Amino acid sequence: MAKRMQIDFVSDVVCPWCVIGLRGLETALERLDGAVEAEIHFQPFELNPQMPPVGQNMDEHIAEKYGRSAEETEAIRGRIRERAASVGFAIRTNGQSRIYNTFDAHRLLHWAGLEHRQAELKHALFTAYFTEGLNIADPEVLVAKAE
């Protein structure tokens, strides 16, 4: 008989380690081959709640927030890309990418949870931001991903 558990996954849709962690968690649950029946609930966490909707250049933001040089940032970005690829996810951000405000994305994820579609939307938003380079603060992008 499968053991049941609820997992609260606290994350932001602009956090690369969050998508890597989610993919790793899902892979681990699949490997358990039904021994654990997990219900994942996504809880919001805004990494940058003061970020304006238009966002900010990623390298500029990382330099301001963490004091990293462009070279350090690119090296870390390379390691993140490799780790994401190892769990089957493509991160295509670069130094010209932008970080956006995620408040409305979290509101939409809450609604999706009421509709029992939260995991689908979470993956769609991760892909929109990291793989497709879309502005996830844009209401049109959010509506398209919710559809």
Side-chain angles (χ1 to χ4, degrees):
M1 182 171 177
K3 293 189 184 230
R4 300 184 74 147
M5 74 170 38
Q6 177 179 316
I7 299 172
D8 287 314
F9 194 88
V10 181
S11 65
D12 199 348
V13 293
V14 295
C15 169
W17 294 112
C18 295
V19 68
I20 291 166
L22 178 60
R23 295 294 292 253
L25 172 62
E26 291 169 339
T27 299
L29 290 170
E30 287 172 14
R31 287 182 182 162
L32 291 172
D33 196 27
V36 174
E37 189 176 302
E39 185 176 324
I40 301 173
H41 293 264
F42 296 95
Q43 305 298 334
F45 183 83
E46 287 183 88
L47 286 172
N48 308 294
Q50 288 78 27
M51 184 66 63
V54 296
Q56 181 182 19
N57 172 277
M58 185 178 290
D59 280 2
E60 178 183 294
H61 174 74
I62 291 171
E64 287 176 10
K65 190 170 184 175
Y66 302 108
R68 293 206 174 103
S69 69
E71 294 78 22
E72 290 171 314
T73 299
E74 186 55 38
I76 292 168
R77 187 178 295 115
R79 289 193 297 273
I80 290 171
R81 272 194 211 107
E82 288 173 11
R83 182 67 181 111
S86 77
V87 294
F89 188 79
I91 291 182
R92 296 194 178 110
T93 56
N94 60 49
Q96 299 308 307
S97 298
R98 298 186 71 75
I99 294 179
Y100 297 102
N101 184 288
T102 58
F103 183 78
D104 286 338
H106 288 296
R107 289 181 356 153
L108 187 61
L109 281 162
H110 174 78
W111 168 80
L114 299 174
E115 300 293 319
H116 307 288
R117 308 275 311 265
Q118 203 174 34
E120 282 178 79
L121 181 61
K122 186 74 163 186
H123 284 287
L125 292 175
F126 277 141
T127 299
Y129 179 68
F130 288 108
T131 307
E132 300 169 355
L134 299 176
N135 176 354
I136 55 159
D138 182 337
E140 289 182 19
V141 170
L142 293 174
V143 167
K145 294 305 170 183
E147 289 176 342

